[in-house]
Amino acid sequence: SQEAMIDNIAIGDEVLTAGGFFATVLEVADDEVTVELSPGAQARLSKRAIAAVFAPDANDPVVAEPTEQMPS
């Protein structure tokens, strides 16, 4: 599930954001992560914005299942 995937995000993991960006996790906090998009370009993201997590030595991503749409 997405919740289990998000709970197991670790520094060094490669992630795919909901916006389609690949990034490397630099810091993990309660509800957010800091990632590096490219050398020197960092961004702070809500953990909910993570669509998939690639462990540093894994070939297959851990893909989140679709969740309910947020109300507009």
Side-chain angles (χ1 to χ4, degrees), residues 1-6 16 50-54 60-66:
S1 75
Q2 183 174 17
E3 187 174 328
M5 176 191 69
I6 287 172
L16 174 64
I50 304 298
V53 177
F54 303 85
D60 296 326
V62 177
V63 180
E65 296 175 11

Side-chain angles (χ1 to χ4, degrees), residues 5-19:
M5 176 191 69
I6 287 172
D7 287 343
N8 292 309
I9 291 174
I11 293 171
D13 285 349
E14 184 174 2
V15 296
L16 174 64
T17 71

Side-chain angles (χ1 to χ4, degrees), residues 4 9 17 19-20 26 32-33 35-36 39 43 45-46 69 71:
I9 291 174
T17 71
L26 299 176
E32 62 186 47
V33 294
V35 298
E36 184 174 55
L45 302 173
S46 166
Q69 294 291 331

Side-chain angles (χ1 to χ4, degrees), residues 14-33:
E14 184 174 2
V15 296
L16 174 64
T17 71
F21 291 100
F22 285 93
T24 302
V25 176
L26 299 176
E27 296 178 27
V28 180
D30 289 335
D31 294 328
E32 62 186 47
V33 294

